[in-house]
Amino acid sequence: MLTTTQLRNAWGPPCRPASWRVTISLHGAGRITVDTRTQAAFVALDACLRAHNYRTRRADTGAYNCRRITGGTGYSLHAYGITADLNWQTNP
């Protein structure tokens, strides 16, 4: 398993232009924008969500966000488009 620093180095730089991103609809109403290189992984995630009838909500599901980590100086992994939050209001 890679550390956050290793992931940043492997997937960088952060905040790439929109041409590097794709938006994917997830089971339910959620939509996420991710790095195009991760598209297959998130399509596979959607298949798992469907198989378990786990519905995402648009209001609290997201991925790409060009921002620094809260309380730190490095970029959040969301700024690389390689991570997503699903139903963050109720999903521990």
Side-chain angles (χ1 to χ4, degrees), residues 1 4 15 19 21 43-44 46 50 53 58 74 87:
M1 187 156 139
T4 300
C15 306
S19 61
R21 299 188 296 269
V43 168
D46 183 55
R50 290 176 188 282
N53 198 30
R58 183 178 298 264
N87 300 343

Side-chain angles (χ1 to χ4, degrees), residues 54-90:
Y54 185 87
R55 296 180 178 276
T56 59
R57 294 183 302 271
R58 183 178 298 264
D60 59 346
T61 294
Y64 176 78
N65 186 349
C66 183
R67 67 172 177 85
R68 296 197 181 269
I69 56 173
T70 303
T73 58
Y75 278 92
S76 164
L77 293 180
H78 290 278
Y80 297 84
I82 62 171
T83 191
D85 293 325
L86 308 180
N87 300 343
W88 63 70
Q89 297 291 332
T90 57

Side-chain angles (χ1 to χ4, degrees), residues 21-56:
R21 299 188 296 269
V22 63
T23 299
I24 299 169
S25 295
L26 297 175
H27 185 58
R31 292 174 48 94
I32 56 172
T33 300
V34 296
D35 186 302
T36 56
R37 298 171 292 174
T38 65
Q39 184 173 2
F42 285 106
V43 168
L45 171 64
D46 183 55
C48 291
L49 296 173
R50 290 176 188 282
H52 295 279
N53 198 30
Y54 185 87
R55 296 180 178 276
T56 59

